[in-house]
Amino acid sequence: MEKLIIRGGHRLQGEVAISGAKNAALPLLCAALLTDEPVTLRNVPQLHDVQTMLALLGHMGVQTRYDADHTAHLNAATLGEPEAPYELVRSMRASILALGPLMARLGYAKVALPGGCAIGSRPVDQHIRGLQAMGAETVVEHGNIIATLPRGVARLKGARITTDMVTVTGTENLLMAATLAEGETILANAAQEPEITDLAEMLIAMGAQIEGHGTGRIRIHGVEKLHGCDHTVVADRIEAGTFLCAVAATGGDVFLRGARAKHLGAVLEKLRQAGVHIENHDEGIRITSPGAASGQLHAQSFRTTEYPGFPTDMQAQFMALNCVAQGNATITETIFENRFMHVNELLRLGADIQADGKVAVVQGGSTLSGALVSSTDLRASACLVIAGLVAEGETTIDHLHHLDRGYDHIEGKLRQLGADIQRMV
């Protein structure tokens, strides 16, 4: 089993390039199912989830190639098997994103109910209800979602869809399905994440007619056919936020090339309030921090919520920063009910945290000391990396498959900034 060995206490200095966003790349790859023409995606991060998605698309008959320059080439001219089997789906919930495109183009899809991180219930009923509103007939049996069009019906029909909750993957799935539906579709209560805007911009480049993306109400005018495109994946705001928290905790001066400040408003505001200096540039973000050891950082309370609020995917990383900053902070997690699993691992490093249900109270100013800890989910892994970077002595992190699902060679990037970190078997 691979492990990360971190020897803490080093300030971070220099420049690092932020990779393409995992949460954008996965739906963009699925969007290639909507056309029989070639699609080129650039700035695709080298991640386990990306490789899983490429394998899933290949299973369906899509020709795929991933180059060393992080470019993915896809051609779905022929689709022989419009199915996503459980053996490919179980490790990655984003596999559900094949459902909408397959229904839009072929009128049939069979997708296994997904797996992924065990951070809480993320039901797919909103996807199913949305497709039903567009005329699909669906059934869930033997662990699979099976969707078809009624006999004699050639295309999905436009509809007004209001989801019961704000759902990112639900919005993406229904957005893709609506591009080839007959008539107009309105997605009300739509998610507003930058990754959805990136998907809409790619679909528009393919010939889709979409308005309102980036707001809570998206209007799609269905077209008969989409064509290929060449699109660059947006920078990963969560990777950027992770590095921001790491530099804030360790201290240092780092330029995050490619990071977009407009996608990180809530995180940047909390960092500034904590005592970190942030500069926004066209080419990226520069962060300068005195570090937790200076005693000049202040713990910040926050509540996770849908974009543009504080992202749940940054809760664990900011908790690690709060552990070593001064003062108390209250963290309220409103998105996933099981997203405090990293708390017990932080306690092993010497953190002072009391968690009860959706609320965690952090007593800052802790002096962390290295220990063996285990990753419990993707963002928890990044939290433990940040804690290890400031802990005294040596920290060992195992179960790295979680980390590799969402971070493109994070240890190499941290090493180039001066961290003492290495991967070992």
Side-chain angles (χ1 to χ4, degrees):
M1 179 185 297
E2 290 187 325
K3 301 177 181 179
L4 277 184
I5 310 297
I6 306 173
R7 298 172 182 86
H10 299 274
R11 292 171 65 85
L12 301 179
Q13 305 280 152
E15 179 178 311
V16 65
I18 299 302
S19 301
K22 173 184 86 84
N23 290 338
L26 298 178
L28 295 177
L29 289 168
C30 284
L33 292 166
L34 291 165
T35 179
D36 59 5
E37 297 182 14
V39 169
T40 300
L41 289 176
R42 305 183 189 277
N43 198 34
V44 179
Q46 186 175 346
L47 304 172
H48 184 269
D49 275 10
V50 168
Q51 297 304 317
T52 300
M53 185 63 79
L54 289 172
L56 176 61
L57 294 174
H59 171 82
M60 297 178 188
V62 181
Q63 296 179 29
T64 67
R65 189 179 83 244
Y66 183 81
D67 294 341
D69 65 351
H70 295 85
T71 300
H73 304 272
L74 305 105
N75 191 328
T78 58
L79 291 176
E81 194 73 26
E83 300 182 2
Y86 182 64
E87 53 267 27
L88 289 173
V89 169
R90 61 183 176 181
S91 65
M92 184 182 66
R93 295 193 60 88
S95 305
I96 192 68
L97 289 167
L99 184 62
L102 288 175
M103 276 302 298
R105 183 167 166 204
L106 301 178
Y108 173 80
K110 181 180 179 181
V111 178
L113 290 169
C117 283
I119 58 174
S121 175
R122 294 188 280 189
V124 298
D125 61 314
Q126 302 302 305
H127 306 238
I128 296 172
R129 291 176 185 174
L131 289 174
Q132 288 173 340
M134 299 171 74
E137 296 180 343
T138 64
V139 62
V140 178
E141 61 182 17
H142 306 301
N144 298 300
I145 303 168
I146 301 173
T148 59
L149 287 175
R151 186 181 301 274
V153 176
R155 297 167 63 188
L156 292 170
K157 306 292 184 182
R160 180 181 178 86
I161 303 169
T162 302
T163 54
D164 294 339
M165 64 192 74
V166 177
T167 162
V168 174
T169 54
T171 299
E172 291 166 340
N173 232 339
L174 299 174
L175 173 61
M176 288 188 282
T179 59
L180 295 177
E182 182 180 339
E184 180 180 272
T185 298
I186 302 292
L187 299 181
N189 200 29
Q192 303 176 44
E193 274 72 3
E195 295 79 16
I196 291 174
T197 298
D198 199 33
L199 172 61
E201 290 175 352
M202 174 182 169
L203 293 170
I204 290 170
M206 296 170 70
Q209 297 182 22
I210 303 171
E211 303 168 1
H213 45 290
T215 75
R217 187 176 186 272
I218 305 176
R219 182 191 301 269
I220 308 103
H221 301 270
V223 298
E224 292 188 4
K225 182 178 175 62
L226 295 178
H227 52 73
C229 72
D230 189 317
H231 181 80
T232 300
V233 180
V234 70
D236 194 325
R237 62 192 171 99
I238 305 303
E239 182 188 68
T242 299
F243 276 94
L244 288 168
C245 285
V247 178
T250 64
D253 185 341
V254 172
F255 185 72
L256 307 179
R257 184 162 298 280
R260 299 191 183 186
K262 66 179 181 179
H263 295 164
L264 284 160
V267 174
L268 295 181
E269 180 181 358
K270 287 298 179 182
L271 285 170
R272 289 189 174 105
Q273 292 173 0
V276 174
H277 181 68
I278 303 287
E279 295 178 5
N280 302 334
H281 300 270
D282 291 341
E283 300 82 13
I285 299 173
R286 181 180 179 185
I287 174 172
T288 307
S289 172
S294 70
Q296 299 177 42
L297 297 185
H298 306 284
Q300 298 297 308
S301 298
F302 61 89
R303 179 186 183 91
T304 66
T305 187
E306 294 84 1
Y307 187 87
F310 196 97
T312 182
D313 279 350
M314 281 301 305
Q315 177 255 108
Q317 300 92 307
F318 214 100
M319 182 183 287
L321 172 60
N322 276 342
C323 288
V324 293
Q326 301 299 308
N328 298 335
T330 299
I331 298 173
T332 305
E333 172 60 56
T334 72
I335 307 298
F336 296 125
E337 67 270 23
N338 294 333
R339 206 156 202 177
F340 283 151
M341 293 188 293
H342 48 279
V343 168
N344 286 337
E345 302 306 304
L346 288 172
L347 294 177
R348 285 181 51 77
L349 296 172
D352 187 348
I353 308 169
Q354 297 291 329
D356 184 8
K358 295 182 177 181
V359 178
V361 178
V362 181
Q363 173 65 57
S366 296
T367 299
L368 303 184
S369 58
L372 171 63
V373 290
S374 295
S375 302
T376 54
D377 62 68
L378 170 53
R379 304 308 172 185
S381 305
C383 157
L384 296 177
V385 169
I386 294 170
L389 290 172
V390 293
E392 296 178 350
E394 184 174 283
T395 298
T396 301
I397 306 173
D398 61 14
H399 292 91
L400 297 187
H401 59 282
H402 292 297
L403 188 71
D404 293 339
R405 288 185 50 237
Y407 290 93
D408 190 346
H409 296 96
I410 189 172
E411 70 272 19
K413 292 182 177 182
L414 286 169
R415 263 199 311 273
Q416 76 184 53
L417 297 177
D420 187 345
I421 179 172
Q422 58 183 320
R423 183 178 295 242
M424 299 183 66
V425 178

